[in-house]
Amino acid sequence: MTISRVPLLDPVRGNAALDQQLMAACARVLHSGRYILGPEVETFEAACAAYLRVKHAIGVSSGTDALLMALMALDLEPGDEVICPSFTFFATAGSVWRSGAKPVFVDSLPDTFNLDPRDVERKLGPRTRAIIPVHLFGQAADLGPILELARSRGIAVIEDAAQAIGAEYHGQRVGGLGDSGCFSFFPSKNLGGFGDAGLLTSQDDALAQKLRMLRTHGGLKTYEHKVVGGNFRIDALQAALLAVKLPHLDQDTAARQAHAQHYRTRLVAAGVASGDGGAPVVLPALKESRHVFNQFVIRVPKRRDALRDHLGEKNIGCAVYYPLPLHQQPCFQAVAGGALPVAEQLAREVLAVPIAAELTRDEIDFVCDAIISFCKRADRR
Ligand SMILES: *Cc1c(COP(=O)(O)O)cnc(C)c1O
């Protein structure tokens, strides 16, 4: 089969193998009459808790809402500060802002794209109430020093694990190391749902209880509100469909890891990539044994936009995550802080290329060929 295009992801193809089970789950929910929370959600939550090796897993309406709820549970006051990376998806800091606290942006590391623990330490202050490490693109952030800093000062750690379900830090699954963990089932995430949905995790009984209250307007009994929560519930349909997909997640993760290894092998063999910047393409550093590769993000220090256009012409899906760091967003100008040179550099240099589990080795080769031909052509110029 000759390849003429490679999408960044293809959810229809990705879900095809499970079509019958998914249809059966749909029908079951349709005929159950229980469309919000209920037994389907409880079954899915138990499966997630076991998979993530955490005590509590709480299904919620989205990854963004998981972050907002984790912050609401801290009862933040105006003037309180929450440290988070600037180089991340908008929701990380958007949730901080919505919680009433001030986002304090920290810089990232150029090799893993994750937040820099030394900059976290520099930006700690008397009003710091929480730190949000983001496990960006599927690799765990360097949690050790962050947990140490936080614990010694009584600061909460909220893991933004939206892109990293199943990723591990020194052998422990993310989401279970901080006070709470936030996951997303947005269709482009590794466990992609069929609409919006998310999950909160915690090892702490009291916090989990509070999060369950926040999920339904701050009360566990109807019409009794201990705190002000919201409607952060997950639909039974999402839970039932995701429960079909969860047992296949490890197989999908293995496919993503194999794709990543293939990119590495091919681009290094062709002499166009290195890990340190000598070549046109800089490969992402592998620091943890279980990187789940929600994205495969390369750095192209000299001609990123030209490579993006070249791949586009060949009908290869690619994307810039993220073109503008959060401290430079118009809505955050009042809290921007100073320059963050690595975040700004990454915004100029990163390019995500296809890595979805449903793609074939031949499709990854097609992308490799296009990257290699671009680099060789640019070399001759
Ligand atoms: C996707 C994502 C979110 C938000 O999840 P939604 O389910 O889309 O609300 C938060 N943080 C990061 C890092 C993400 O990638």
Side-chain angles (χ1 to χ4, degrees):
M1 195 184 72
T2 56
I3 292 161
S4 58
R5 62 182 283 272
V6 182
L8 203 47
L9 82 158
D10 186 347
V12 173
R13 202 200 315 174
N15 293 322
L18 298 173
D19 197 64
Q20 285 191 346
Q21 284 170 269
L22 292 167
M23 293 301 273
C26 262
R28 199 173 64 235
V29 174
L30 206 70
H31 298 147
S32 75
R34 286 297 303 270
Y35 301 136
I36 296 172
L37 300 180
E40 297 282 356
V41 169
E42 282 158 26
T43 303
F44 177 59
E45 288 178 341
C48 287
Y51 182 79
L52 295 168
R53 304 174 194 151
V54 291
K55 213 162 160 196
H56 302 280
I58 303 164
V60 298
S61 35
S62 70
T64 304
D65 285 342
L67 285 162
L68 181 60
M69 292 168 72
L71 289 155
M72 286 172 79
L74 299 177
D75 297 314
L76 300 169
E77 287 167 16
D80 284 346
E81 297 179 353
V82 176
I83 291 177
C84 67
S86 172
F87 188 70
T88 176
F89 179 60
F90 179 78
T92 313
S95 307
V96 175
W97 181 279
R98 290 167 66 202
S99 76
K102 176 188 171 190
V104 173
F105 295 109
V106 295
D107 213 354
S108 296
L109 297 164
D111 58 345
T112 61
F113 315 114
N114 277 323
L115 83 176
D116 179 353
R118 280 171 312 175
D119 203 31
V120 172
E121 185 163 15
R122 276 194 289 273
K123 286 177 180 161
L124 283 171
R127 298 298 304 267
T128 308
R129 294 286 316 280
I131 304 168
I132 311 184
V134 181
H135 306 305
L136 203 63
F137 307 140
Q139 178 158 243
D142 190 7
L143 284 179
I146 292 165
L147 290 169
E148 205 171 298
L149 284 172
R151 294 214 168 113
S152 66
R153 289 170 169 81
I155 294 168
V157 173
I158 298 169
E159 294 178 64
D160 183 341
Q163 301 181 4
I165 189 164
E168 292 177 8
Y169 179 73
H170 296 192
Q172 280 184 276
R173 295 254 152 125
V174 300
L177 291 116
D179 296 85
S180 54
C182 304
F183 294 86
S184 166
F185 304 120
F186 186 79
S188 68
K189 305 297 161 84
N190 285 22
L191 184 59
F194 303 80
D196 280 307
L199 188 86
L200 267 163
T201 53
S202 183
Q203 310 279 28
D204 182 299
D205 296 344
L207 178 58
Q209 172 89 348
K210 189 166 185 183
L211 293 169
R212 286 187 185 278
M213 285 204 299
L214 287 168
R215 180 170 68 173
T216 49
H217 301 292
L220 289 178
K221 282 195 273 176
T222 344
Y223 305 122
E224 183 190 286
H225 306 276
K226 294 219 164 79
V227 291
V228 178
N231 173 0
F232 299 125
R233 296 176 300 235
I234 185 173
D235 291 341
L237 187 61
Q238 292 307 326
L241 293 170
L242 288 163
V244 171
K245 291 184 74 174
L246 180 59
H248 303 270
L249 180 59
D250 282 342
Q251 196 186 320
D252 284 358
T253 298
R256 288 172 181 273
Q257 290 167 335
H259 290 336
Q261 187 51 47
H262 194 60
Y263 274 122
R264 208 170 283 278
T265 306
R266 286 245 11 231
L267 298 180
V268 169
V272 304
S274 68
D276 55 20
V281 169
V282 186
L283 295 168
L286 244 188
K287 293 282 164 89
E288 287 298 327
S289 59
R290 200 152 201 264
H291 186 328
V292 297
F293 289 103
N294 179 241
Q295 300 293 346
F296 190 77
V297 175
I298 58 174
R299 280 202 286 128
V300 192
K302 292 215 178 72
R303 285 177 288 262
R304 192 269 313 271
D305 290 349
L307 175 57
R308 184 191 54 194
D309 296 346
H310 176 78
L311 297 183
E313 280 160 25
K314 296 204 174 268
N315 297 314
I316 293 169
C318 60
V320 173
Y321 303 124
Y322 298 93
L324 191 62
L326 300 185
H327 70 287
Q328 296 183 323
Q329 293 289 346
C331 66
F332 290 138
Q333 280 323 288
V335 295
L340 298 173
V342 177
E344 290 161 30
Q345 176 194 352
L346 292 176
R348 289 190 301 270
E349 298 183 355
V350 287
L351 189 65
V353 294
I355 185 124
E358 62 269 17
L359 300 177
T360 62
R361 171 63 59 90
D362 285 348
E363 287 175 307
I364 302 299
D365 270 322
F366 186 80
V367 182
C368 290
D369 291 342
I371 296 172
I372 292 165
S373 71
F374 172 85
C375 293
K376 300 243 148 122
R377 202 183 64 194
D379 241 15
R380 287 196 296 271
R381 269 205 233 120

